Amino acid sequence: MTIENVTVNVTSPGRNFVTLKIVTSDGIVGWGDATLNGRELSVASYLDDHLASILIGRDEDRIEDTWQYLYRSPYWRRGPVTMAAIAAVDMALWDIKAKKAGVPLYQLLGGASRDGIRAYCHASGGDYAALKDAITGYVESGFTAVRVQTGVPGLGQIYGVATNKPGAKYDYEPAKRAADGTAATAPTEEVWDTNAYLAHMPGVFESIRADFGTDLRILHDGHHRMSPIEAARFAKDVEPYRLFWLEDCTPGEDQTALRLVRQHSTTPLAIGEVFNTVFDYQTLITERLIDYVRSAVTHTGGITAMKKLLDFAAIYGIKSGIHGPTDISPVGMAAALHLDLAIHNFGIQEYMPHSETTLDVFQTSFTFERGFLHPGDTPGLGVELDEEAASAFEYTKAYLPANRLTDGTVHDW
Ligand code: EZ4
Ligand code: CO
């Protein structure tokens, strides 16, 4: 059989999503996630204007060949737009193949290696009291791992801290529309001071350990804001509190920066949510500079590429920590969960649940119970986009915030 129809759906049920639909000549439908936060329409155009016509008539079963063709043939390789577009095609073809086989995708990836997928959520608070409340809520609901982000005295709104009503769960959404909910025209701006952050954070982890004991897995995201020596100091200072991982401590494009951090501490390191290919990890993996691979399936060329990347990492004792924020659609989240269940070197899965509005549009079969996820046993990925429901939510431009140091210098967000 062949690919007969390729369409791109852009919808905004609470936030923007780009979804690829591939239909075969015998009517099997496959879905792929192509959402790139704040740059959605570029990927939609890549798919619509450049890929759709060349997919028509191809054998939908030739997933590896299609991946290589899309990666190598255009001459221009890598980058988040290209790799999100390839990822969407790849996910849709795996969805189709598993539906044809009548099995959940993880069966085609080798079957289940575990019963459930340990998830971590995002706990945040403007101050320690609010953070403690948030962590308490998650621990009570069964989570065994939490990412903690908190305000820094003297700074305003910062990365990872929810602005919603206190106590509200699952409420951090970094992409911002205009204040009245209509299309944004430019990013909002935040202010950052690394010195204040470095001084404040170790005490936060000390309090968490004192209040929650030694069992809780504590994660933290530095969002690429520290220089190598600052990150080394941070990793060393927080060593006594035994973080599960310190994520994205230095800017992502500088792989050798993590050598310095490694030389100074045993705090486990995770990086990669802005990476697109295995080559972004070549030095990090072969020199054992990280402990967890943070790529999103959606931004790293799909299931085909992620499986190879994680197998490569496994040889060096490095585990998965697949990116799972709300800007990964339920389709991309399902792709992550099938991989998580199947691979041996699973570490942890980020889980920021989607809003009810989003889940009215994407029908999912994955489950979450007492801290653990499962992709479900529906054939394929197990997620279907309700195109009619989606049509009610028009694309609404939203941007990730910009960030400046206190003297006005542009800094990493
Ligand atoms: O800021 O996905 O670990 N998770 C994160 C995310 C990212 C957003 C950017 O689109 O850092 O919340
Ligand atoms: Co992150």
Side-chain angles (χ1 to χ4, degrees):
M1 299 298 129
T2 58
I3 294 171
E4 194 168 271
N5 198 358
V6 178
T7 49
V8 181
N9 182 287
V10 180
T11 181
S12 197
R15 69 167 346 284
N16 295 317
F17 293 108
V18 179
T19 312
L20 183 70
K21 180 186 188 185
I22 294 182
V23 187
T24 67
S25 50
D26 50 358
I28 314 271
V29 175
W31 300 102
D33 178 23
T35 308
L36 182 62
N37 210 2
R39 294 293 185 271
E40 298 84 4
L41 300 185
S42 302
V43 192
S45 162
Y46 194 108
L47 286 164
D48 239 344
D49 298 329
H50 303 295
L51 292 195
S53 64
I54 59 177
L55 290 171
I56 307 293
R58 294 182 71 86
D59 178 351
E60 76 270 12
D61 277 330
R62 296 181 62 176
I63 300 178
E64 178 71 23
D65 179 69
T66 301
W67 195 97
Q68 299 296 343
Y69 184 83
L70 298 181
Y71 182 76
R72 294 174 196 281
S73 306
Y75 187 57
W76 313 108
R77 295 184 189 183
R78 312 197 284 167
V81 175
T82 298
M83 297 313 289
I86 294 176
V89 175
D90 186 79
M91 281 181 212
L93 295 184
W94 278 110
D95 192 21
I96 289 168
K97 195 182 275 293
K99 281 173 175 163
K100 282 165 63 168
V103 295
L105 175 64
Y106 71 82
Q107 293 293 5
L108 300 187
L109 302 174
S113 286
R114 57 196 46 79
D115 302 326
I117 297 160
R118 187 187 304 277
Y120 76 87
C121 60
H122 290 199
S124 76
D127 58 19
Y128 184 69
L131 176 63
K132 187 179 169 184
D133 278 356
I135 299 173
T136 303
Y138 288 120
V139 169
E140 282 172 359
S141 73
F143 276 99
T144 59
V146 291
R147 185 189 83 157
V148 297
Q149 307 295 137
T150 182
V152 173
L155 301 183
Q157 177 62 35
I158 68 165
Y159 165 74
V161 180
T163 46
N164 298 19
K165 43 190 180 314
K169 281 189 178 176
Y170 309 137
D171 51 4
Y172 181 64
E173 175 58 69
K176 302 280 188 283
R177 297 177 175 181
D180 62 0
T182 59
T185 51
T188 56
E189 295 208 355
E190 296 176 358
V191 177
W192 180 248
D193 180 342
T194 311
N195 274 337
Y197 167 76
L198 292 178
H200 182 64
M201 288 311 297
V204 173
F205 296 119
E206 185 180 11
S207 300
I208 296 170
R209 278 290 172 233
D211 288 333
F212 295 94
T214 51
D215 282 354
L216 183 66
R217 289 161 175 81
I218 302 172
L219 298 80
H220 179 68
D221 192 344
H223 238 232
H224 308 116
R225 290 169 179 212
M226 288 171 267
S227 70
I229 199 68
E230 288 166 344
R233 193 167 103 218
F234 185 103
K236 191 175 166 184
D237 285 351
V238 302
E239 213 170 62
Y241 314 116
R242 292 180 299 100
L243 267 53
F244 182 90
W245 78 34
L246 169 61
E247 172 185 351
D248 291 348
C249 56
T250 49
E253 56 277 58
D254 185 359
Q255 294 189 43
T256 57
L258 293 184
R259 284 183 190 147
L260 196 72
V261 185
R262 271 294 205 230
Q263 281 160 15
H264 290 278
S265 94
T266 56
T267 295
L269 302 177
I271 201 163
E273 70 185 45
V274 299
F275 293 1
N276 318 123
T277 72
V278 67
F279 297 102
D280 299 323
Y281 290 96
Q282 198 164 15
T283 303
L284 295 173
I285 289 177
T286 56
E287 292 189 20
R288 302 173 190 268
L289 300 179
I290 56 170
D291 301 281
Y292 297 93
V293 163
R294 283 290 288 139
S295 274
V297 186
T298 303
H299 302 143
T300 313
I303 292 151
T304 297
M306 253 331 248
K307 178 76 168 68
K308 292 179 188 182
L309 165 56
L310 293 171
D311 287 345
F312 175 43
I315 295 168
Y316 294 86
I318 296 166
K319 294 185 175 181
S320 70
I322 300 181
H323 197 208
T326 40
D327 44 286
I328 299 301
S329 90
V331 176
M333 175 57 75
L337 297 180
H338 286 279
L339 273 164
D340 289 335
L341 199 69
I343 59 170
H344 178 253
N345 58 326
F346 169 75
I348 203 161
Q349 173 64 50
E350 183 180 26
Y351 179 46
M352 281 177 80
H354 292 102
S355 68
E356 278 172 29
T357 317
T358 298
L359 294 174
D360 284 344
V361 168
F362 290 90
Q363 272 119 40
T364 59
S365 42
F366 55 79
T367 56
F368 173 76
E369 214 180 312
R370 302 294 302 167
F372 287 81
L373 290 151
H374 191 283
D377 284 310
T378 306
L381 285 168
V383 178
E384 300 292 321
L385 175 68
D386 179 339
E387 290 167 284
E388 201 186 316
S391 68
F393 299 99
E394 202 181 327
Y395 174 75
T396 308
K397 191 158 69 164
Y399 286 99
L400 291 170
N403 195 25
R404 292 182 189 274
L405 300 179
T406 47
D407 70 355
T409 308
V410 170
H411 197 59
D412 301 79
W413 175 72

